[in-house]
Amino acid sequence: MADGEVSSLDHNHPLFFQASDAPGLVLIPLKLTGSENYAMWSRAMKLALRGMSKLGFVDGSRVKGMHKGELVEKWEKYNMIVLSWTGSTVSNELMPSIVYASNAKKVWADFQERFDGSNLTRIYHLWTAIATLRQGTDSVNSYYSKMKDMWDELDIIAPLDSCDCEESRPSVELLKNICLL
């Protein structure tokens, strides 16, 4: 199939229209309010968009210039749908950033620039919360869930070095041992 033909798009193609791909669909229950929940919102949106084969509209891997003919119009349609999905997951104060935008990737990059810069502050707060977390009257399951959620968020924001070289092993082992404390 030539890239300009629309009649027979595979159901896995990012420009294939699904019945569930309606504007205004709420992909995640979390609303982006700012830097305090950007990391979780971003991660949840990426998971949802990947599951719908639309992550490329915000990460830059699915750009308009990749398409020709009728597929350009389909790209424009999906770009607007992704903008609409994003709009349904942000606070009212952030809506103008979406309503007046023409490109989902630019909105995504703008939110990242505005809210992701506070990762060092969030990392500090997570380390502090982990260090001061006590079971108290919580059940073991509740206590463990709170701790695991914080470690998982920390792993997303500041992942462990994936290098398997000899020099990095002591640092990786130390961090793994700290997680056990």
Side-chain angles (χ1 to χ4, degrees), residues 36-110:
E36 63 278 356
N37 73 339
Y38 173 78
M40 187 180 296
W41 174 86
S42 173
R43 175 78 173 152
M45 280 296 289
K46 285 178 183 176
L47 291 171
L49 289 169
R50 182 178 298 283
M52 299 183 83
S53 299
K54 304 298 181 267
L55 183 60
F57 286 88
V58 298
D59 73 5
S61 63
R62 178 61 52 185
V63 294
K64 185 170 153 181
M66 298 172 69
H67 306 289
K68 293 179 178 34
E70 293 178 49
L71 288 181
V72 171
E73 181 60 34
K74 283 184 123 346
W75 183 92
E76 298 241 359
K77 177 182 178 178
Y78 264 114
N79 180 60
M80 290 301 135
I81 289 174
V82 171
L83 276 171
S84 174
W85 290 344
T86 304
S88 68
T89 65
V90 301
S91 66
N92 291 339
E93 294 81 31
L94 297 174
M95 278 305 292
S97 298
I98 294 168
V99 172
Y100 298 115
S102 61
N103 186 296
K105 182 184 178 335
K106 287 181 182 176
V107 168
W108 195 268
D110 175 50

Side-chain angles (χ1 to χ4, degrees), residues 14-15 32 37 40 49 67 95 101 112 137-138 154-155 167 172:
L15 299 179
L32 175 64
N37 73 339
M40 187 180 296
L49 289 169
H67 306 289
M95 278 305 292
Q112 185 175 20
T137 58
D138 288 345
L154 190 58
D155 190 44
E167 294 82 22
V172 171

Side-chain angles (χ1 to χ4, degrees), residues 2 7 23 30 38 43 45 50 78 103 121-123 129 141 146 150 162 172 175 177 180:
S7 61
L30 179 67
Y38 173 78
R43 175 78 173 152
M45 280 296 289
R50 182 178 298 283
Y78 264 114
N103 186 296
T121 303
R122 183 65 186 149
I123 289 168
N141 285 338
K146 288 177 187 177
M150 288 187 280
S162 61
V172 171
L175 284 173
N177 288 332
L180 297 175

